[in-house]
Amino acid sequence: MQPFVYNSAPSRVIFGRGASRSLAAELDRLGLKRALVLSTPQQEEQSLSIASNLEWRLAGSFHEAAMHTPSEVTAVGVRRASEVNADCLVAIGGGSTIGLGKAIAWRTDLPQVVVPTTYAGSEMTPILGQTEDGLKTTIRNPKIQPQTVIYDVDLTLTLPAQISVTSGLNAAAHAAEALYARDRNPVISLLAEEAIRVLTQALPRIVDDERNVEARSEALYGAWLCGICLGSAGMALHHKLCHTLGGSFNLPHAATHCVVLPYALDYNRTEIPEAMAAMSRAMGGVDAARGFRALAKNLGAPTSLQALGFEEADIARAAELATENAYWNPRPIELAPIRTLLTHAWRGDDL
C-alpha cells in the first residue's frame, strides 16, 4: 500500500511506514511546544522512544493509562498536564491510551496528536468512553476528536498476533454497527463494507506471518476506516453490551467486542437484511454472524464470555444494566432476550 496523507475535518491523518518520525514536525505545524506524552505502563519504553525526536518539545510524560478510562486515573493525568504546563497531549498506544488522552482533553481543552499502535479505531472519533463508580458512559463532542492521527505501520509489526486479531475484530465491530446505525449514510456504508473486507482478509495473513508488512498496512488502513465509521454514525446494541461488560465487570475491551459481535448481529439479523448482505459480501459470501465467530475461532481468539472470566451468575445483572438507558437499536432491547443472548455468549454457543 502506498503511503498517503489524508486531511479530513477536523482530523488530519498521516499514514505510512515510518510516519511517526514526523511527530515533531506535526507539533511544529500546529504551533505546539510542550507535549505531555501518554501511554500505558507496558508501553512506557516504546512511547518514550517514539517521542525522543520531540527533543525540547517534550514537557513530560504520564504512563498510567488503563483499560476503560477510569476517572481516577484521568484526574491524575490532568494534574500531571498542569504540573508540566503542557500545551498538548501526545497519546502513543492503543485504546486505553487514546481514551486517556481524550478524557484529559475533555477536561482541559488541550489539543491531541495520536500515534496508534493497535487497531483500536477510536482515534478517529469525537467519542469518549469512561468509567466511574463501576459504570461506563460515553460522551460525544467535537473537542474530544484528536487534531492529528499518525498511523505508522512499522509500530504494528511487533503487535502479537492474538492481540492483533482481537483488536482488529474490535475495529470491525465499529464498521458492522455503522451499517445499520440510525444515522447511517451511503458514504459511511461504503467505508464500512470496505473496512470489513480489508480487515477480515488481513488478519489471517498476520496470524500466518506477524511481520507481513502488506497485511499490517491493510489492517491499519481497515482500522482507520472503522474509526471513521464509529465517529460518523451512532452505536447500537453491540456497543451497549460491550460497554456494560467492560465498565461494570472489567472484561478486556477488545476481546469482549470479539466475543459479543456475532451474538449481537444474530439478535438483530431479521431487522437488518441490507447490512447483513453487505457484511456477507465483504466476507466472501458467508453469513456475517457465523462468519465473525468462525474467524475468531479459526484465528485463536476467545469465543465465549466464560473464557474472559465473566461469571455465569452475573448474566442477570449484566442484562439489567444493558437494558437501562439502552442505545437505539433496530430491534427492541428487551430484558429476557438480552439475558438469552448473554447466556449464549457466555457459553460460546454455535449460531
Side-chain angles (χ1 to χ4, degrees):
M1 181 175 298
Q2 294 296 317
F4 61 85
V5 175
Y6 172 83
N7 285 283
S8 66
S11 285
R12 169 178 161 90
V13 170
I14 302 170
F15 187 108
R17 297 198 67 180
S20 61
R21 292 194 291 272
S22 67
L23 181 56
E26 189 61 20
L27 293 192
D28 291 344
R29 189 189 71 84
L30 293 167
L32 302 172
K33 303 178 186 304
R34 294 189 60 80
L36 177 67
V37 171
L38 307 173
S39 79
T40 60
Q42 296 80 11
Q43 289 188 283
E44 177 177 355
E45 182 178 352
Q46 182 189 32
S47 68
L48 291 177
S49 174
I50 294 167
S52 62
N53 70 5
L54 292 179
E55 299 176 339
W56 54 267
R57 305 169 191 83
L58 178 60
S61 60
F62 181 65
H63 305 285
E64 300 302 324
M67 192 168 58
H68 307 305
T69 317
S71 58
E72 60 270 20
V73 174
T74 299
V76 180
V78 169
R79 290 197 297 271
R80 178 63 174 154
S82 178
E83 290 168 359
V84 302
N85 194 28
D87 68 357
C88 66
L89 305 166
V90 175
I92 301 175
S96 296
T97 303
I98 296 165
L100 174 62
K102 289 180 171 185
I104 296 173
W106 172 244
R107 291 159 173 80
T108 64
D109 290 329
L110 289 172
Q112 307 166 71
V113 174
V114 177
V115 184
T117 60
T118 69
Y119 307 126
S122 59
E123 63 276 356
M124 290 304 303
T125 78
I127 302 167
L128 166 63
Q130 55 187 349
T131 304
E132 186 169 7
D133 297 328
L135 292 175
K136 191 168 187 177
T137 58
T138 59
I139 302 169
R140 181 186 285 262
N141 189 284
K143 76 176 186 178
I144 294 170
Q145 181 122 13
Q147 278 62 36
T148 300
V149 180
I150 300 175
Y151 289 104
D152 187 337
V153 176
D154 290 345
L155 301 183
T156 67
L157 294 177
T158 56
L159 187 67
Q162 289 311 300
I163 297 177
S164 300
V165 171
T166 54
S167 181
L169 290 176
N170 170 30
H174 306 330
E177 285 220 314
L179 284 166
Y180 57 83
R182 180 166 49 181
D183 54 354
R184 64 191 178 276
N185 63 68
V187 171
I188 293 302
S189 294
L190 287 170
L191 293 182
E193 186 171 338
E194 169 70 355
I196 292 170
R197 183 191 69 80
V198 170
L199 272 169
T200 55
Q201 290 183 7
L203 293 176
R205 292 157 59 204
I206 290 171
V207 171
D208 287 341
D209 177 9
E210 295 183 0
R211 307 287 297 184
N212 184 325
V213 174
E214 187 62 22
R216 290 289 189 181
S217 298
E218 291 173 7
L220 199 58
Y221 163 66
W224 170 57
L225 295 179
C226 290
I228 295 174
C229 293
L230 179 63
S232 305
M235 296 176 285
L237 173 64
H238 169 79
H239 282 83
K240 179 62 176 183
L241 289 172
C242 291
H243 288 167
T244 297
L245 293 167
S248 298
F249 300 93
N250 203 38
L251 295 193
H253 179 83
T256 301
H257 279 267
C258 183
V259 170
V260 170
L261 179 59
Y263 300 97
L265 293 178
D266 192 56
Y267 182 94
N268 284 327
R269 71 163 63 245
T270 59
E271 305 299 321
I272 55 168
E274 291 183 3
M276 293 295 284
M279 285 182 268
S280 178
R281 285 195 301 270
M283 300 173 73
V286 301
D287 175 81
R290 298 185 183 95
F292 275 118
R293 188 178 184 281
L295 185 63
K297 184 177 181 180
N298 292 340
L299 298 183
T303 56
S304 73
L305 294 176
Q306 185 178 14
L308 302 182
F310 185 61
E311 300 290 340
E312 185 176 16
D314 288 329
I315 290 175
R317 177 58 179 157
E320 291 174 1
L321 290 171
T323 52
E324 293 175 359
N325 303 313
Y327 300 166
W328 176 89
N329 191 65
R331 174 183 167 184
I333 297 177
E334 299 171 326
L335 182 60
I338 294 300
R339 190 185 299 120
T340 300
L341 182 161
L342 288 170
T343 300
H344 288 312
W346 181 80
R347 293 193 301 238
D349 291 338
D350 288 332
L351 297 171

